[in-house]
Amino acid sequence: AMVPELLLCVSFGCAAALSPTCLSAQFRRPGDYIIGGLFPFGKDIINLTARSEPTLVVCERLFLDGLIWALGMKFAVDQINNSTSLLPGVQLGYDMYDTCFEPLVALQPSLLFLARNGTRGIGALCNYTNYQPRVTAVIGPHKSDLCLVTAKLFSFLLIPQVSYGASSEKLSNTESYPSFYRTVPSDKNLVEAVVLLLNKFGWNWIATIGTDDEYGRGAQGLFLSTAANHSICIAFEGLIPTDLTDPNAQNQLEDTIKVINNTNVNIIVLFAFSQPAQALLEHSIRMGLSEKVWIGTEAWILSDIAASIPNIQSIGTVLGFIMKAGTIPGFQQYVADLFTSVQQDKFCQESREFDHLMNPDVLGTHCKECDHVSLQDVSPMLSRSQIQPVYVAVYSVAHALHRALGCTHRACPKAPIRSWQLLHFMDTLPFEVNGQSFRFDQSHGTNTGYKLIFWSWKNGTLTYLPVGDYEESLYINKSQIQFHTADQKEPTSACFRHCKPGQFKQIKGFHLCCYDCTDCPENTFWSTKDSSTCTPCLEHQWSPVRSTRCYDRSERYLFWDEPLTVALLTLMSITVSLTCLTALLFLKNLETPLVQASGGKLNLFALFALTLLCLSCCLYIGKPSNNLCMIQQIVYALCLSGCFSTFFIKSLEITLVTEFPRCAPTCLHWVTQRRAWLLVALCLLTECLFCFCYLHLGPDYLVADYKSLPTEVLLVCNTESWVAFALMHGYNGCLACVCFLCTFMVRTSGKKYNMARGITFAILIYFVIWIFFVAIFATLKTVLRSVTQIGTILTTSLGILGTYYIPKCYIILRKPNLNTMDYFHNSIQEEPEEDSQ
């Protein structure tokens, strides 16, 4: 039944609006307790820079939303005054003023509210505990930058101030603004909802624009920090002017559109009020900006100013968050009745009398343009304008006053109450409005959640279609959103792809959040704690390319069961067998001229040393240790020294016979018979001294090499002192060198056996092997280092066998007719050891 009445009222208002009404007189009412109101009745103030005197600042145009919000406060107060349960017997008054969206304008009524009750002056006191200002509480203002100015004033006297639209996160600081409250969520909640929306659709390459005021800068700053934590890249961030009369404003808007066009983003997040948003959208249409997804906020998403721009549908898809707010029962009918009443002389006369009681000469008329507004002008906005925040703000003050006065459901004592006494009850106790419970949180705000709105166009008509909601999580009905794309599916807007596990983000270009996904190299891994770099593995660990974890390295050395080891052990067995067989053959033919000429029993000692040398190969197989590393070099040096000492004695004997025949009879007994064993012992004792120096200066020690092999730790013996190493092995080299010098020039007739030649070739092979060994051993850093040492031992042993002992075995076995005194006469100048005795 209300709709026909409303239509009737609309038609009546059209006819009656030709004559001025007394609507401007409806924003003051006396009462037991006065509530101040700050509402943007107007907009577009004159240029403040041209203001040379502190005169009254006047707005040029009416702002209908502000008028409706003020009517919402009036409606709430009238309801409370007619209530029998809330503040029964108490009449609330109100005193509302225009802010013009300008802090300078809002300061004038704010200072008036601070004046001592019944006067126009603000008392300068040391203690304001008993100070009674003109108002008990203040509702408004709407914008954050106005609240940041006025809240400081009201917080000084701890006057409760409840805003119905300021969302800046700065106002959550209860230390700076202890008496500031709001019935809208903070921008922090809004930003979280926007970020979740971007994540839902996978949009991570966006532009963000804010107005150059407290709301735009604050919301954009929060958005930038939150977006960075959710892997959302900001291609462009900019501010647009709020003063569109500024000569540079048009250039700033055009530059913003040009930059957005160059970034190739498909998503634009806009934190702006209706007029700057209108200017930006008009420029984007005029400059031919391609269709985008525009994500807006309540500050402009429900504005008729933006929706009425010519060709507005060409901008693309518009989504936005608006605060969840229920309808206020009876408000539309209340407004319709009020517009009917303000055209009646009797009602206007009563209103002017109330207005006169409030000292109207203080700031003059509140809203001159309101007298020329009809119901037809405001009726389209009544269903869309958010009235509940204003309505709840008034009720929060009324409930706090109810409790501060100690009211019952039947009556209230009309006791004097100080404004600051309301704060305790506003902080601690919940209150109920139309069956819905509200409570201010620790930051003095209320979070009722948001609705996601989609601009749905059908036949040129705009519908604000709810497609989702946000409280603690975001729900979206994607099937209801028809995007501007050809298939009506959501467009893509991504600067990067999500990296797979094991890949890190490699920054590219100017934007730090634009990157390529690059595989983590070997021995590094990808960590969820830091996705922009790869974390190196610990020294004892390894990892393959594109790894998400590290693995422990396995130990690498020459294992007993690997094929190469088996081959070396087989070769060692053959060498040991040949050496033992040679020793048995020489033992069996010990008294023959050949064996006696070769050194007699010294041959058996040399072959025994060679056998031990071959068996020492086993020291290089298996897991090494510090003791093994030390023993390896000592055993090698002593065994080789034992063999070379017999060659040394034989070389001296040959030299005496061939080069010093006159001295031979006198000196030959020092290198033959039993004294030869004394020289062998002396050579071994000298080598033992060098081995002791080796142990003292620094023996080889075990080293874990983590760099040579990609997935294993190489256990190798490392040389600590190359001086000690050179002394110990250099002594054998000296023995070999003396043997070579004593034998390489010796010649015999073709009918005699050349004993020196076998020693010469054996020493030559030793030198050649050691040249290769030193070159390879110094540079090799793998398990082949042990193989090289084994190979050196075996080739040296086989070389000595092959050049010195095998030819003699051949004579013993295959040509025994040569094994005579005559054939070996020049090689031995003494009788066999048994005969000489």
Side-chain angles (χ1 to χ4, degrees):
M2 191 187 80
V3 176
E5 292 178 5
L6 184 59
L7 293 174
L8 181 63
C9 292
V10 170
S11 61
F12 178 77
C14 291
L18 297 175
S19 59
T21 66
C22 62
L23 186 61
S24 61
Q26 305 307 310
F27 304 111
R28 278 183 163 185
R29 180 187 177 96
D32 300 318
Y33 304 95
I34 305 299
I35 301 177
L38 296 173
F39 295 93
F41 292 113
K43 58 183 178 181
D44 295 345
I45 61 173
I46 59 174
N47 188 4
L48 291 178
T49 57
R51 183 170 175 259
S52 59
E53 297 180 2
T55 55
L56 183 68
V57 180
V58 181
C59 300
E60 295 182 340
R61 287 197 299 167
L62 180 68
F63 183 62
L64 289 178
D65 281 313
L67 172 60
I68 294 173
W69 294 332
L71 293 177
M73 176 176 172
K74 175 179 172 60
F75 174 62
V77 173
D78 288 348
Q79 264 194 345
I80 293 167
N81 288 338
N82 294 325
S83 173
T84 57
S85 59
L86 182 61
L87 293 173
V90 173
Q91 289 293 304
L92 293 179
Y94 45 83
D95 196 5
M96 304 182 209
Y97 289 91
D98 187 11
T99 64
C100 258
F101 289 112
E102 174 57 46
L104 185 65
V105 178
L107 276 175
Q108 284 183 300
S110 298
L111 292 173
L112 179 63
F113 292 158
L114 293 176
R116 190 188 297 272
N117 192 19
T119 70
R120 300 183 187 181
I122 302 174
L125 305 175
C126 295
N127 189 342
Y128 285 89
T129 303
N130 295 319
Y131 185 81
Q132 185 63 56
R134 285 173 64 98
V135 297
T136 304
V138 177
I139 306 300
H142 175 259
K143 288 183 66 177
S144 295
D145 49 355
L146 273 67
C147 287
L148 287 170
V149 174
T150 59
K152 284 288 187 182
L153 293 174
F154 297 132
S155 291
F156 175 69
L157 294 182
L158 295 181
I159 298 175
Q161 177 186 7
V162 188
S163 174
Y164 50 88
S167 57
S168 172
E169 181 62 17
K170 289 183 179 179
L171 294 166
S172 297
N173 187 345
T174 56
E175 184 177 348
S176 299
Y177 310 101
S179 66
F180 178 82
Y181 299 82
R182 54 184 162 196
T183 53
V184 293
S186 162
D187 284 337
K188 182 179 180 182
N189 303 105
L190 173 64
V191 164
E192 289 173 354
V194 173
V195 168
L196 286 177
L197 174 66
L198 296 173
N199 282 338
K200 282 277 187 180
F201 287 104
W203 296 327
N204 54 41
W205 181 237
I206 65 165
T208 174
I209 304 171
T211 45
D212 193 9
D213 56 12
E214 184 57 41
Y215 168 70
R217 290 190 299 268
Q220 190 178 70
L222 280 172
F223 175 74
L224 293 175
S225 59
T226 307
N229 295 331
H230 289 78
S231 300
I232 295 174
C233 292
I234 309 300
F236 170 75
E237 56 177 285
L239 297 174
I240 56 176
T242 54
D243 183 9
L244 300 176
T245 61
D246 190 329
N248 295 323
Q250 302 302 314
N251 291 334
Q252 291 182 40
L253 291 169
E254 290 177 2
D255 292 342
T256 300
I257 298 299
K258 289 177 182 177
V259 173
I260 292 175
N261 207 25
N262 292 334
T263 57
N264 296 319
V265 297
N266 290 323
I267 313 298
I268 301 174
V269 179
L270 179 58
F271 298 102
F273 286 101
S274 55
Q275 286 182 296
Q278 175 193 11
L280 181 69
L281 294 173
E282 286 176 345
H283 274 76
S284 67
I285 295 170
R286 182 174 58 82
M287 296 176 67
L289 184 67
S290 59
E291 292 181 311
K292 311 288 184 185
V293 175
W294 295 79
I295 299 176
T297 63
E298 191 170 341
W300 68 271
I301 197 75
L302 296 178
S303 171
D304 283 339
I305 296 176
S308 60
I309 298 173
N311 201 24
I312 186 63
Q313 298 180 48
S314 66
I315 66 171
T317 304
V318 178
L319 295 169
F321 287 97
I322 64 171
M323 190 184 71
K324 280 185 180 179
T327 57
I328 306 301
F331 178 65
Q332 292 189 15
Q333 184 62 50
Y334 174 83
V335 173
D337 293 340
L338 180 63
F339 270 90
T340 302
S341 300
V342 295
Q343 298 176 51
Q344 299 173 3
D345 292 338
K346 182 180 179 182
F347 180 83
C348 289
Q349 182 62 32
E350 293 176 354
S351 299
R352 291 187 179 97
E353 290 177 1
F354 281 130
D355 193 56
H356 182 71
L357 294 174
M358 297 291 292
N359 295 324
D361 57 328
V362 175
L363 283 180
T365 306
H366 298 66
C367 178
K368 293 180 180 180
E369 294 83 1
C370 293
D371 290 340
H372 302 283
V373 177
S374 67
L375 182 60
Q376 186 180 11
D377 296 328
V378 299
S379 58
M381 306 181 66
L382 290 176
S383 60
R384 293 200 307 271
S385 188
Q386 298 280 43
I387 307 302
Q388 182 173 322
V390 181
Y391 188 77
V392 173
V394 176
Y395 266 86
S396 68
V397 173
H399 278 280
L401 183 60
H402 183 94
R403 289 163 180 150
L405 289 170
C407 299
T408 65
H409 288 293
R410 295 182 179 179
C412 280
K414 294 184 180 180
I417 194 79
R418 304 289 181 246
S419 299
W420 57 267
Q421 293 177 299
L422 302 183
L423 298 180
H424 169 72
F425 302 99
M426 297 186 73
D427 286 340
T428 57
L429 298 175
F431 58 94
E432 192 171 292
V433 180
N434 291 334
Q436 186 177 357
S437 180
F438 293 89
R439 184 172 191 159
F440 292 112
D441 56 27
Q442 291 182 345
S443 59
H444 292 180
T446 58
N447 184 14
T448 56
Y450 293 93
K451 286 192 296 184
L452 179 62
I453 298 299
F454 166 61
W455 277 16
S456 177
W457 294 92
K458 288 185 179 179
N459 301 321
T461 303
L462 173 60
T463 303
Y464 300 102
L465 183 64
V467 293
D469 62 78
Y470 169 77
E471 286 187 11
E472 293 182 357
S473 59
L474 178 63
Y475 164 75
I476 303 176
N477 187 351
K478 293 184 179 181
S479 62
Q480 289 187 296
I481 305 175
Q482 296 178 349
F483 288 93
H484 58 268
T485 53
D487 57 359
Q488 296 187 338
K489 300 294 183 182
E490 65 266 19
T492 59
S493 187
C495 175
F496 61 86
R497 57 189 176 91
H498 289 286
C499 294
K500 297 178 180 179
Q503 295 180 321
F504 72 97
K505 301 173 183 178
Q506 188 171 27
I507 306 299
K508 65 175 183 178
F510 175 75
H511 302 284
L512 295 179
C513 55
C514 267
Y515 52 80
D516 290 325
C517 293
T518 305
D519 292 344
C520 286
E522 290 182 349
N523 297 325
T524 63
F525 70 99
W526 176 80
S527 172
T528 54
K529 294 180 180 178
D530 185 8
S531 58
S532 60
T533 58
C534 294
T535 305
C537 293
L538 297 176
E539 189 179 41
H540 66 279
Q541 295 179 323
W542 74 280
S543 67
V545 174
R546 193 171 161 181
S547 178
T548 58
R549 56 165 294 191
C550 291
Y551 305 89
D552 289 333
R553 291 176 179 266
S554 58
E555 293 180 339
R556 185 68 175 102
Y557 45 85
L558 197 59
F559 295 101
W560 287 96
D561 56 351
E562 57 183 296
L564 186 58
T565 305
V566 174
L568 290 173
L569 288 174
T570 303
L571 181 60
M572 182 195 75
S573 301
I574 294 171
T575 308
V576 170
S577 299
L578 285 174
T579 308
C580 291
L581 289 174
T582 302
L584 289 174
L585 186 61
F586 270 55
L587 180 61
K588 185 179 180 180
N589 297 275
L590 186 61
E591 305 302 330
T592 61
L594 184 149
V595 175
Q596 288 299 317
S598 300
K601 292 180 180 179
L602 289 176
N603 289 308
L604 300 178
F605 177 77
L607 290 169
F608 174 71
L610 280 181
T611 303
L612 292 180
L613 182 63
C614 292
L615 292 174
S616 71
C617 292
C618 297
L619 298 175
Y620 299 90
I621 304 173
K623 185 175 181 179
S625 64
N626 286 325
N627 291 332
L628 274 178
C629 291
M630 176 181 64
I631 294 171
Q632 286 172 1
Q633 300 301 325
I634 293 177
V635 171
Y636 176 80
L638 287 174
C639 292
L640 196 61
S641 181
C643 181
F644 282 176
S645 63
T646 62
F647 286 177
F648 174 67
I649 292 167
K650 194 64 187 173
S651 299
L652 290 178
E653 179 186 349
I654 293 171
T655 302
L656 287 172
V657 171
T658 58
E659 301 297 330
F660 305 99
R662 295 181 180 180
C663 299
T666 307
C667 301
L668 203 59
H669 66 276
W670 286 100
V671 293
T672 58
Q673 303 178 11
R674 288 186 175 86
R675 290 178 181 176
W677 289 101
L678 183 62
L679 286 177
V680 170
L682 184 62
C683 290
L684 285 174
L685 181 61
T686 305
E687 181 62 41
C688 287
L689 290 175
F690 285 120
C691 288
F692 177 78
C693 293
Y694 165 77
L695 292 175
H696 180 71
L697 293 175
D700 288 8
Y701 60 96
L702 180 64
V703 170
D705 182 4
Y706 295 99
K707 297 181 180 180
S708 299
L709 301 177
T711 64
E712 298 167 311
V713 51
L714 181 63
L715 300 181
V716 293
C717 295
N718 191 51
T719 302
E720 181 176 349
S721 173
W722 284 100
V723 174
F725 183 89
L727 286 174
M728 185 171 60
H729 293 290
Y731 173 72
N732 286 329
C734 290
L735 285 179
C737 188
V738 171
C739 294
F740 180 77
L741 292 175
C742 291
T743 59
F744 84 102
M745 292 294 290
V746 174
R747 293 183 181 181
T748 59
S749 64
K751 297 180 180 180
K752 304 296 180 179
Y753 181 78
N754 190 343
M755 191 66 67
R757 185 168 54 190
I759 297 175
T760 302
F761 282 113
I763 298 304
L764 277 176
I765 289 176
Y766 166 75
F767 282 141
V768 171
I769 291 171
W770 258 82
I771 290 172
F772 283 103
F773 166 73
V774 171
I776 296 173
F777 186 78
T779 57
L780 210 56
K781 293 292 184 181
T782 66
V783 73
L784 295 177
R785 197 172 188 183
S786 296
V787 175
T788 304
Q789 291 174 298
I790 296 173
T792 301
I793 292 171
L794 295 179
T795 51
T796 301
S797 301
L798 287 172
I800 293 172
L801 282 174
T803 56
Y804 189 76
Y805 290 105
I806 298 298
K808 295 175 176 58
C809 293
Y810 176 78
I811 293 174
I812 293 173
L813 295 174
R814 303 297 296 175
K815 294 187 177 181
N817 57 309
L818 295 179
N819 193 358
T820 62
M821 287 289 293
D822 184 58
Y823 190 65
F824 291 97
H825 177 71
N826 288 340
S827 297
I828 51 172
Q829 300 299 321
E830 76 280 6
E831 295 295 324
E833 291 179 13
E834 288 77 358
D835 296 340
S836 62
Q837 293 173 5

